[in-house]
């Protein structure tokens, strides 16, 4: 048997996709795939198995990936569209026909989609696709953490990374949690709760529990990152304005091969003691010109919480500007 006629198998991850949309009525979409490419198509759990000659499996897998994208977004399509997909789809980038589609993140197990709601959020999500390290800076309510967690989950489900690591400085307790009641997990949970909330909004609760149990998902205090090498991971450092300069350097030097990093922070909410410099302020100064690191700035126009949050953010910014002008005024 020659290489051209040898039968091979390939599995396409379909986790989070609507199986009815993916397979079509009466498996019509899969039957059409078989007709066009001469492959055998089987859906088992969250995987689509393709079997056939190497060229046919490779080409059909690309089309199935596109079909999965649409099924994750809840976008139905007729079987007759599959021939068009096969004719026009040259790369994975072609799987999304608009910028909005490329940036949209389907939430597994439902038809909800996490999508940018402002120009700043669009720039933030695009940066996460294009750069290995992204620093998102902006006020509360602009989606810095939520969008980063959504992109991390999306990368995990697509097998682009093997694990998600979410870290936060427990600065309110000075990283010294001994006085709090309970075991270690109970001590740090209050500081890490916002990260759990974002995760649980993206994945079913059982999937989060399973991920934590098998360590494909880790939610940890920043202080416990020391000495580790973080490879093939999507790593998020949240609330980085409350990490010291030394902690931030430690975190950045943990990054291993195949990892992507998002750092979020709000320079107006630094809770460190006055003698300690914020690591977020420092990296803004010293990492700005390094290729592969992108800074994205969000402001009150990107706030997606209650409408009053935008006004509150703007009011505080105005008050800060007035105080700064008062300090700088000649006496």
């Amino acid at each position: 048997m020659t290489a051209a006629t040898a039968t091979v198998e390939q599995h396409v991850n379909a986790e989070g996709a609507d199986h009815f949309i993916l397979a079509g009525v009466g498996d019509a979409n899969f039957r059409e795939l078989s007709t066009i490419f001469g492959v055998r198509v089987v859906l088992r759990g969250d995987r689509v198995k393709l079997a056939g000659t190497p060229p046919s499996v490779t080409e059909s897998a690309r089309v199935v990936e596109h079909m999965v994208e649409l099924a994750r977004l809840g976008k139905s399509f007729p079987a007759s569209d599959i021939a068009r997909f096969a004719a026009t789809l040259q790369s994975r980038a072609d799987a999304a026909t608009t910028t909005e589609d490329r940036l949209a993140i389907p939430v597994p197990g439902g038809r909800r989609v996490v999508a940018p709601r402002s120009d700043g959020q669009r720039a933030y999500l695009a940066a996460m696709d294009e750069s290995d390290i992204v620093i998102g800076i902006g006020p509360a309510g602009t989606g810095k953490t939520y969008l980063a967690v959504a992109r991390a989950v999306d990368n995990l489900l697509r097998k682009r990374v093997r694990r998600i690591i979410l870290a936060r400085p427990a600065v309110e307790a000075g990283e010294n949690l001994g006085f709090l009641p309970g075991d270690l997990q109970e001590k740090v949970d209050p500081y890490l709760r916002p990260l759990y909330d974002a995760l649980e909004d993206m994945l079913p609760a059982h999937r989060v529990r399973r991920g934590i149990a098998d360590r494909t998902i880790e939610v940890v205090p920043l202080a416990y990152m020391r000495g580790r090498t973080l490879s093939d991971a999507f790593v998020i450092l949240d609330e980085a304005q409350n990490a010291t300069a030394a902690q931030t350097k430690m975190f950045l030097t943990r990054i291993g091969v195949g990892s992507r990093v998002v750092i979020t922070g709000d320079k107006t909410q630094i809770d460190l003691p006055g003698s300690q410099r914020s690591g977020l302020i420092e990296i803004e100064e010293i990492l700005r010109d390094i290729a592969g690191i992108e800074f994205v700035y969000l402001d009150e126009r990107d706030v997606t919480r209650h409408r009053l949050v935008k006004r509150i953010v703007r009011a505080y910014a105005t008050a800060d500007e007035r105080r700064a002008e008062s300090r700088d005024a000649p006496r």
Side-chain angles (χ1 to χ4, degrees), residues 251-298:
F251 170 80
L252 287 168
T253 54
R254 301 303 93 209
I255 301 166
V257 176
S259 287
R260 304 184 78 83
V261 174
V262 178
I263 297 173
T264 74
D266 178 357
K267 293 189 293 183
T268 69
Q269 296 195 36
I270 298 173
D271 300 316
L272 290 168
S275 60
Q276 292 184 312
R277 192 172 192 224
S278 168
L280 183 66
I281 302 296
E282 182 170 89
I283 63 172
E284 188 181 20
E285 295 173 358
I286 67 177
L287 301 183
R288 179 174 301 282
D289 297 325
I290 297 180
I293 299 178
E294 186 166 352
F295 286 80
V296 179
Y297 292 89
L298 301 147

Short mmCIF file of all heavy atoms in Angstrom, two decimals, residues 251-298:
data_model
loop_
_atom_site.label_atom_id
_atom_site.label_comp_id
_atom_site.label_asym_id
_atom_site.label_seq_id
_atom_site.Cartn_x
_atom_site.Cartn_y
_atom_site.Cartn_z
N PHE A 251 7.44 36.61 38.27
CA PHE A 251 6.37 36.03 37.47
C PHE A 251 6.78 35.96 36.00
O PHE A 251 6.64 34.92 35.35
CB PHE A 251 5.10 36.87 37.63
CG PHE A 251 4.00 36.51 36.67
CD1 PHE A 251 3.19 35.41 36.91
CD2 PHE A 251 3.78 37.25 35.52
CE1 PHE A 251 2.18 35.06 36.02
CE2 PHE A 251 2.78 36.92 34.63
CZ PHE A 251 1.97 35.81 34.88
N LEU A 252 7.28 37.05 35.45
CA LEU A 252 7.62 37.10 34.03
C LEU A 252 8.74 36.13 33.68
O LEU A 252 8.80 35.62 32.55
CB LEU A 252 8.01 38.53 33.64
CG LEU A 252 6.85 39.51 33.54
CD1 LEU A 252 7.37 40.94 33.44
CD2 LEU A 252 5.96 39.18 32.35
N THR A 253 9.63 35.86 34.62
CA THR A 253 10.74 34.95 34.34
C THR A 253 10.36 33.49 34.57
O THR A 253 11.20 32.61 34.43
CB THR A 253 11.97 35.31 35.19
OG1 THR A 253 11.60 35.36 36.58
CG2 THR A 253 12.53 36.66 34.78
N ARG A 254 9.07 33.23 34.89
CA ARG A 254 8.58 31.84 35.00
C ARG A 254 8.14 31.31 33.64
O ARG A 254 7.92 30.11 33.49
CB ARG A 254 7.36 31.74 35.93
CG ARG A 254 7.51 32.19 37.36
CD ARG A 254 8.59 31.48 38.10
NE ARG A 254 9.83 32.24 38.02
CZ ARG A 254 11.05 31.72 38.06
NH1 ARG A 254 11.22 30.43 38.17
NH2 ARG A 254 12.12 32.48 37.98
N ILE A 255 7.97 32.17 32.66
CA ILE A 255 7.31 31.80 31.41
C ILE A 255 8.17 30.83 30.61
O ILE A 255 9.34 31.09 30.34
CB ILE A 255 7.00 33.05 30.58
CG1 ILE A 255 6.10 33.99 31.38
CG2 ILE A 255 6.34 32.68 29.26
CD1 ILE A 255 6.01 35.38 30.80
N GLY A 256 7.56 29.70 30.21
CA GLY A 256 8.26 28.69 29.43
C GLY A 256 7.79 28.65 27.99
O GLY A 256 7.00 29.47 27.53
N VAL A 257 8.28 27.64 27.28
CA VAL A 257 7.99 27.48 25.85
C VAL A 257 6.51 27.18 25.65
O VAL A 257 5.90 26.42 26.40
CB VAL A 257 8.85 26.35 25.26
CG1 VAL A 257 8.50 26.10 23.80
CG2 VAL A 257 10.33 26.68 25.40
N GLY A 258 5.92 27.79 24.64
CA GLY A 258 4.54 27.50 24.28
C GLY A 258 3.49 28.17 25.15
O GLY A 258 2.31 27.83 25.06
N SER A 259 3.91 29.12 25.97
CA SER A 259 2.95 29.78 26.87
C SER A 259 2.56 31.16 26.34
O SER A 259 3.32 31.80 25.61
CB SER A 259 3.54 29.92 28.27
OG SER A 259 3.57 28.67 28.92
N ARG A 260 1.38 31.58 26.73
CA ARG A 260 0.89 32.92 26.46
C ARG A 260 0.53 33.54 27.80
O ARG A 260 0.03 32.86 28.69
CB ARG A 260 -0.32 32.90 25.52
CG ARG A 260 -0.05 32.18 24.21
CD ARG A 260 -1.22 32.25 23.27
NE ARG A 260 -1.30 33.54 22.59
CZ ARG A 260 -0.59 33.85 21.51
NH1 ARG A 260 0.25 32.97 21.00
NH2 ARG A 260 -0.72 35.02 20.92
N VAL A 261 0.77 34.84 27.92
CA VAL A 261 0.61 35.51 29.21
C VAL A 261 -0.23 36.76 29.05
O VAL A 261 -0.04 37.53 28.10
CB VAL A 261 1.99 35.88 29.80
CG1 VAL A 261 1.82 36.71 31.07
CG2 VAL A 261 2.81 34.63 30.09
N VAL A 262 -1.16 36.95 29.97
CA VAL A 262 -1.92 38.20 30.05
C VAL A 262 -1.77 38.75 31.45
O VAL A 262 -1.97 38.02 32.44
CB VAL A 262 -3.42 37.99 29.72
CG1 VAL A 262 -4.18 39.30 29.87
CG2 VAL A 262 -3.59 37.45 28.31
N ILE A 263 -1.40 40.01 31.54
CA ILE A 263 -1.27 40.71 32.82
C ILE A 263 -2.31 41.82 32.84
O ILE A 263 -2.40 42.60 31.89
CB ILE A 263 0.14 41.29 32.99
CG1 ILE A 263 1.18 40.15 33.01
CG2 ILE A 263 0.24 42.14 34.24
CD1 ILE A 263 2.61 40.64 33.01
N THR A 264 -3.11 41.87 33.89
CA THR A 264 -4.14 42.91 33.98
C THR A 264 -3.90 43.77 35.21
O THR A 264 -3.35 43.30 36.22
CB THR A 264 -5.55 42.29 34.07
OG1 THR A 264 -5.75 41.73 35.38
CG2 THR A 264 -5.75 41.21 33.02
N GLY A 265 -4.32 45.01 35.13
CA GLY A 265 -4.16 45.88 36.29
C GLY A 265 -4.83 47.22 36.12
O GLY A 265 -5.16 47.64 35.01
N ASP A 266 -5.05 47.88 37.24
CA ASP A 266 -5.68 49.20 37.30
C ASP A 266 -4.78 50.10 38.12
O ASP A 266 -4.66 49.94 39.34
CB ASP A 266 -7.06 49.06 37.94
CG ASP A 266 -7.78 50.40 38.09
OD1 ASP A 266 -7.19 51.45 37.75
OD2 ASP A 266 -8.94 50.39 38.54
N LYS A 267 -4.12 51.03 37.46
CA LYS A 267 -3.14 51.88 38.15
C LYS A 267 -3.78 52.82 39.17
O LYS A 267 -3.08 53.40 39.99
CB LYS A 267 -2.36 52.70 37.11
CG LYS A 267 -1.47 51.86 36.22
CD LYS A 267 -0.54 52.72 35.36
CE LYS A 267 -1.32 53.53 34.34
NZ LYS A 267 -0.42 54.31 33.46
N THR A 268 -5.10 52.96 39.14
CA THR A 268 -5.76 53.85 40.10
C THR A 268 -6.15 53.12 41.39
O THR A 268 -6.69 53.74 42.29
CB THR A 268 -7.03 54.47 39.48
OG1 THR A 268 -8.03 53.45 39.30
CG2 THR A 268 -6.72 55.11 38.14
N GLN A 269 -5.89 51.81 41.46
CA GLN A 269 -6.28 51.05 42.65
C GLN A 269 -5.11 50.25 43.20
O GLN A 269 -5.19 49.04 43.40
CB GLN A 269 -7.45 50.12 42.32
CG GLN A 269 -8.72 50.87 41.93
CD GLN A 269 -9.96 49.98 41.95
OE1 GLN A 269 -10.09 49.10 42.78
NE2 GLN A 269 -10.86 50.22 41.02
N ILE A 270 -4.01 50.93 43.46
CA ILE A 270 -2.82 50.29 44.02
C ILE A 270 -2.95 50.26 45.54
O ILE A 270 -3.10 51.30 46.18
CB ILE A 270 -1.54 51.04 43.60
CG1 ILE A 270 -1.39 50.98 42.07
CG2 ILE A 270 -0.32 50.44 44.29
CD1 ILE A 270 -0.25 51.82 41.53
N ASP A 271 -2.91 49.05 46.12
CA ASP A 271 -3.08 48.88 47.56
C ASP A 271 -1.78 48.53 48.29
O ASP A 271 -1.80 48.20 49.47
CB ASP A 271 -4.11 47.77 47.83
CG ASP A 271 -5.47 48.11 47.23
OD1 ASP A 271 -5.91 49.26 47.39
OD2 ASP A 271 -6.08 47.23 46.60
N LEU A 272 -0.66 48.59 47.58
CA LEU A 272 0.62 48.27 48.21
C LEU A 272 0.99 49.33 49.23
O LEU A 272 0.62 50.49 49.08
CB LEU A 272 1.72 48.18 47.15
CG LEU A 272 1.67 46.99 46.18
CD1 LEU A 272 2.63 47.22 45.02
CD2 LEU A 272 1.99 45.70 46.91
N PRO A 273 1.76 48.95 50.25
CA PRO A 273 2.28 49.96 51.18
C PRO A 273 3.10 51.00 50.43
O PRO A 273 3.69 50.71 49.38
CB PRO A 273 3.17 49.13 52.13
CG PRO A 273 2.65 47.74 52.02
CD PRO A 273 2.16 47.58 50.62
N GLY A 274 3.14 52.20 50.95
CA GLY A 274 3.79 53.31 50.26
C GLY A 274 5.24 53.08 49.91
O GLY A 274 5.76 53.64 48.95
N SER A 275 5.92 52.21 50.66
CA SER A 275 7.35 51.97 50.43
C SER A 275 7.60 51.00 49.29
O SER A 275 8.74 50.83 48.86
CB SER A 275 8.01 51.43 51.69
OG SER A 275 7.39 50.21 52.08
N GLN A 276 6.55 50.32 48.81
CA GLN A 276 6.72 49.32 47.76
C GLN A 276 6.20 49.85 46.43
O GLN A 276 5.11 50.41 46.36
CB GLN A 276 5.99 48.03 48.12
CG GLN A 276 6.61 47.30 49.30
CD GLN A 276 5.92 45.97 49.56
OE1 GLN A 276 4.70 45.91 49.62
NE2 GLN A 276 6.70 44.92 49.72
N ARG A 277 6.99 49.66 45.38
CA ARG A 277 6.60 50.13 44.06
C ARG A 277 5.80 49.07 43.33
O ARG A 277 6.14 47.88 43.37
CB ARG A 277 7.85 50.48 43.23
CG ARG A 277 7.49 51.24 41.97
CD ARG A 277 8.72 51.75 41.26
NE ARG A 277 8.33 52.72 40.24
CZ ARG A 277 8.84 52.74 39.02
NH1 ARG A 277 9.77 51.87 38.67
NH2 ARG A 277 8.45 53.65 38.16
N SER A 278 4.76 49.49 42.64
CA SER A 278 3.92 48.56 41.89
C SER A 278 4.70 47.99 40.71
O SER A 278 5.32 48.72 39.92
CB SER A 278 2.67 49.27 41.38
OG SER A 278 1.99 48.47 40.43
N GLY A 279 4.64 46.66 40.55
CA GLY A 279 5.28 46.02 39.42
C GLY A 279 4.64 46.42 38.10
O GLY A 279 5.32 46.44 37.06
N LEU A 280 3.34 46.74 38.12
CA LEU A 280 2.67 47.17 36.90
C LEU A 280 3.26 48.48 36.40
O LEU A 280 3.49 48.65 35.19
CB LEU A 280 1.17 47.32 37.15
CG LEU A 280 0.32 47.70 35.93
CD1 LEU A 280 0.33 46.58 34.90
CD2 LEU A 280 -1.11 48.00 36.35
N ILE A 281 3.50 49.40 37.29
CA ILE A 281 4.10 50.68 36.91
C ILE A 281 5.49 50.45 36.33
O ILE A 281 5.87 51.06 35.32
CB ILE A 281 4.18 51.63 38.11
CG1 ILE A 281 2.78 51.87 38.71
CG2 ILE A 281 4.85 52.94 37.72
CD1 ILE A 281 1.82 52.58 37.80
N GLU A 282 6.24 49.55 36.94
CA GLU A 282 7.61 49.32 36.48
C GLU A 282 7.64 48.69 35.09
O GLU A 282 8.41 49.12 34.22
CB GLU A 282 8.36 48.44 37.46
CG GLU A 282 9.81 48.20 37.05
CD GLU A 282 10.62 47.53 38.12
OE1 GLU A 282 10.64 46.27 38.15
OE2 GLU A 282 11.23 48.23 38.94
N ILE A 283 6.83 47.66 34.85
CA ILE A 283 6.89 47.01 33.53
C ILE A 283 6.38 47.93 32.44
O ILE A 283 6.81 47.83 31.29
CB ILE A 283 6.14 45.66 33.51
CG1 ILE A 283 4.64 45.85 33.78
CG2 ILE A 283 6.76 44.67 34.48
CD1 ILE A 283 3.84 44.56 33.58
N GLU A 284 5.49 48.86 32.82
CA GLU A 284 5.02 49.82 31.82
C GLU A 284 6.19 50.69 31.34
O GLU A 284 6.23 51.09 30.18
CB GLU A 284 3.92 50.69 32.43
CG GLU A 284 3.23 51.59 31.42
CD GLU A 284 2.17 52.45 32.06
OE1 GLU A 284 2.22 52.65 33.30
OE2 GLU A 284 1.30 52.94 31.33
N GLU A 285 7.13 50.92 32.22
CA GLU A 285 8.27 51.76 31.87
C GLU A 285 9.37 50.99 31.15
O GLU A 285 9.97 51.50 30.20
CB GLU A 285 8.84 52.40 33.14
CG GLU A 285 7.89 53.36 33.83
CD GLU A 285 8.42 53.84 35.17
OE1 GLU A 285 9.52 53.39 35.57
OE2 GLU A 285 7.74 54.65 35.82
N ILE A 286 9.64 49.75 31.56
CA ILE A 286 10.84 49.08 31.05
C ILE A 286 10.60 48.03 29.96
O ILE A 286 11.54 47.61 29.29
CB ILE A 286 11.65 48.44 32.21
CG1 ILE A 286 10.87 47.28 32.84
CG2 ILE A 286 12.01 49.47 33.25
CD1 ILE A 286 11.65 46.56 33.92
N LEU A 287 9.35 47.60 29.77
CA LEU A 287 9.07 46.55 28.77
C LEU A 287 8.38 47.07 27.52
O LEU A 287 8.09 46.29 26.60
CB LEU A 287 8.22 45.44 29.39
CG LEU A 287 8.79 44.72 30.61
CD1 LEU A 287 7.85 43.60 31.03
CD2 LEU A 287 10.18 44.17 30.32
N ARG A 288 8.11 48.35 27.47
CA ARG A 288 7.28 48.90 26.40
C ARG A 288 7.84 48.62 25.01
O ARG A 288 7.07 48.41 24.06
CB ARG A 288 7.13 50.41 26.61
CG ARG A 288 6.29 51.09 25.55
CD ARG A 288 6.06 52.54 25.88
NE ARG A 288 5.38 52.67 27.17
CZ ARG A 288 4.09 52.47 27.34
NH1 ARG A 288 3.34 52.11 26.32
NH2 ARG A 288 3.54 52.61 28.52
N ASP A 289 9.15 48.62 24.82
CA ASP A 289 9.74 48.53 23.48
C ASP A 289 10.20 47.12 23.11
O ASP A 289 10.91 46.94 22.12
CB ASP A 289 10.93 49.50 23.37
CG ASP A 289 10.50 50.95 23.53
OD1 ASP A 289 9.38 51.28 23.09
OD2 ASP A 289 11.27 51.74 24.12
N ILE A 290 9.78 46.11 23.88
CA ILE A 290 10.18 44.74 23.58
C ILE A 290 9.18 44.11 22.60
O ILE A 290 7.97 44.09 22.85
CB ILE A 290 10.28 43.89 24.85
CG1 ILE A 290 11.37 44.45 25.78
CG2 ILE A 290 10.55 42.43 24.52
CD1 ILE A 290 11.53 43.67 27.07
N ALA A 291 9.69 43.61 21.48
CA ALA A 291 8.82 42.95 20.49
C ALA A 291 8.18 41.71 21.10
O ALA A 291 8.83 40.95 21.82
CB ALA A 291 9.64 42.57 19.26
N GLY A 292 6.90 41.51 20.82
CA GLY A 292 6.18 40.37 21.37
C GLY A 292 5.41 40.69 22.63
O GLY A 292 4.64 39.86 23.12
N ILE A 293 5.64 41.89 23.19
CA ILE A 293 4.89 42.35 24.36
C ILE A 293 4.02 43.53 23.92
O ILE A 293 4.53 44.49 23.34
CB ILE A 293 5.82 42.78 25.51
CG1 ILE A 293 6.68 41.60 25.96
CG2 ILE A 293 5.01 43.33 26.68
CD1 ILE A 293 7.67 41.94 27.06
N GLU A 294 2.74 43.45 24.18
CA GLU A 294 1.83 44.51 23.74
C GLU A 294 1.05 45.07 24.93
O GLU A 294 0.50 44.32 25.74
CB GLU A 294 0.85 43.99 22.69
CG GLU A 294 -0.02 45.06 22.08
CD GLU A 294 -0.74 44.64 20.82
OE1 GLU A 294 -0.45 43.53 20.33
OE2 GLU A 294 -1.59 45.40 20.35
N PHE A 295 1.03 46.39 25.03
CA PHE A 295 0.25 47.09 26.04
C PHE A 295 -1.07 47.55 25.42
O PHE A 295 -1.08 48.12 24.32
CB PHE A 295 1.01 48.30 26.57
CG PHE A 295 2.15 47.96 27.50
CD1 PHE A 295 3.37 47.54 26.99
CD2 PHE A 295 1.98 48.03 28.87
CE1 PHE A 295 4.42 47.22 27.83
CE2 PHE A 295 3.03 47.71 29.73
CZ PHE A 295 4.25 47.30 29.21
N VAL A 296 -2.17 47.28 26.11
CA VAL A 296 -3.49 47.73 25.66
C VAL A 296 -4.10 48.54 26.80
O VAL A 296 -4.15 48.08 27.94
CB VAL A 296 -4.41 46.55 25.30
CG1 VAL A 296 -5.78 47.06 24.87
CG2 VAL A 296 -3.78 45.69 24.21
N TYR A 297 -4.57 49.74 26.46
CA TYR A 297 -5.14 50.63 27.47
C TYR A 297 -6.65 50.74 27.28
O TYR A 297 -7.13 51.04 26.18
CB TYR A 297 -4.48 52.00 27.40
CG TYR A 297 -3.03 51.98 27.82
CD1 TYR A 297 -2.02 51.72 26.88
CD2 TYR A 297 -2.67 52.15 29.15
CE1 TYR A 297 -0.69 51.66 27.27
CE2 TYR A 297 -1.34 52.10 29.54
CZ TYR A 297 -0.36 51.85 28.60
OH TYR A 297 0.96 51.78 28.99
N LEU A 298 -7.37 50.48 28.35
CA LEU A 298 -8.83 50.60 28.36
C LEU A 298 -9.21 51.78 29.24
O LEU A 298 -8.46 52.17 30.13
CB LEU A 298 -9.44 49.31 28.89
CG LEU A 298 -9.07 48.04 28.09
CD1 LEU A 298 -8.98 46.84 28.99
CD2 LEU A 298 -10.07 47.78 26.99
#
